Amino acid sequence: MRKIFVILFLYGIMTCATAQNIIQITNNGSQNTTTDCGFKINGICSSEDIGGVSLEDISRQDLGGGPFSNGITRAYLKNYNNFTVTVLIQLAFDSYSQGGSTYVEEVYQVVIPSNETKSVQLNHCNCPGCYSLQGMIVRRLMN
């Protein structure tokens, strides 16, 4: 009787050991977890950033009539890559330092051909020094 219990016990252990199949599911990068994402702009994660674009300048173009007349503020972006890219740029407009009362985060998207500089017209026209870069995500534009 004792041998039967020992045999049944060993048979049960072997059955449990062979019944445990390990299934490993790998993620081939189709989804990003929140730990992979440093920051997001319009839902696009910074882990998709390939770089190669710089913010060259933010300047005001006077439309005539002196320094206090209306003008256009532009951000100039240079693409150093050998292919066309799409750029998401997040800027903060902070007029508190100039005596104003406005703080706004603005997002712009621009497509820049290879090795070219392109400008983006910004919303606030009379204070280019009030803009600061918050983040930029560069992605390759596929044809």
Side-chain angles (χ1 to χ4, degrees):
M1 184 74 165
R2 194 170 200 204
K3 285 183 179 181
I4 293 175
F5 283 123
V6 171
I7 291 173
L8 287 175
F9 177 73
L10 291 175
Y11 181 74
I13 290 176
M14 289 188 311
T15 304
C16 287
T18 58
Q20 292 182 357
N21 292 333
I22 298 174
I23 299 173
Q24 183 175 0
I25 299 173
T26 58
N27 187 358
N28 293 331
S30 61
Q31 295 177 348
N32 293 328
T33 60
T34 55
T35 57
D36 294 342
C37 190
F39 63 92
K40 288 185 178 183
I41 301 176
N42 286 354
I44 307 297
C45 192
S46 64
S47 63
E48 296 182 30
D49 181 39
I50 62 168
V53 174
S54 69
L55 176 63
E56 296 291 315
D57 189 25
I58 297 177
S59 62
R60 180 179 177 272
Q61 177 187 1
D62 186 18
L63 293 178
F68 297 107
S69 67
N70 285 334
I72 298 172
T73 301
R74 295 183 185 273
Y76 294 91
L77 300 163
K78 172 128 176 95
N79 180 10
Y80 292 97
N81 295 305
N82 292 326
F83 46 84
T84 303
V85 295
T86 180
V87 179
L88 285 169
I89 184 169
Q90 183 173 353
L91 299 170
F93 178 79
D94 183 7
S95 68
Y96 288 121
S97 62
Q98 305 293 325
S101 61
T102 307
Y103 180 83
V104 180
E105 287 188 350
E106 302 171 359
V107 176
Y108 300 94
Q109 181 174 350
V110 63
V111 175
I112 308 173
S114 64
N115 299 313
E116 289 189 20
T117 300
K118 197 160 187 184
S119 67
V120 178
Q121 184 174 338
L122 305 180
N123 291 338
H124 297 88
C125 59
N126 290 326
C127 188
C130 297
Y131 277 100
S132 63
L133 179 64
Q134 298 296 307
M136 184 181 338
I137 298 175
V138 180
R139 297 185 302 163
R140 185 179 188 137
L141 186 65
M142 299 295 179
N143 294 339

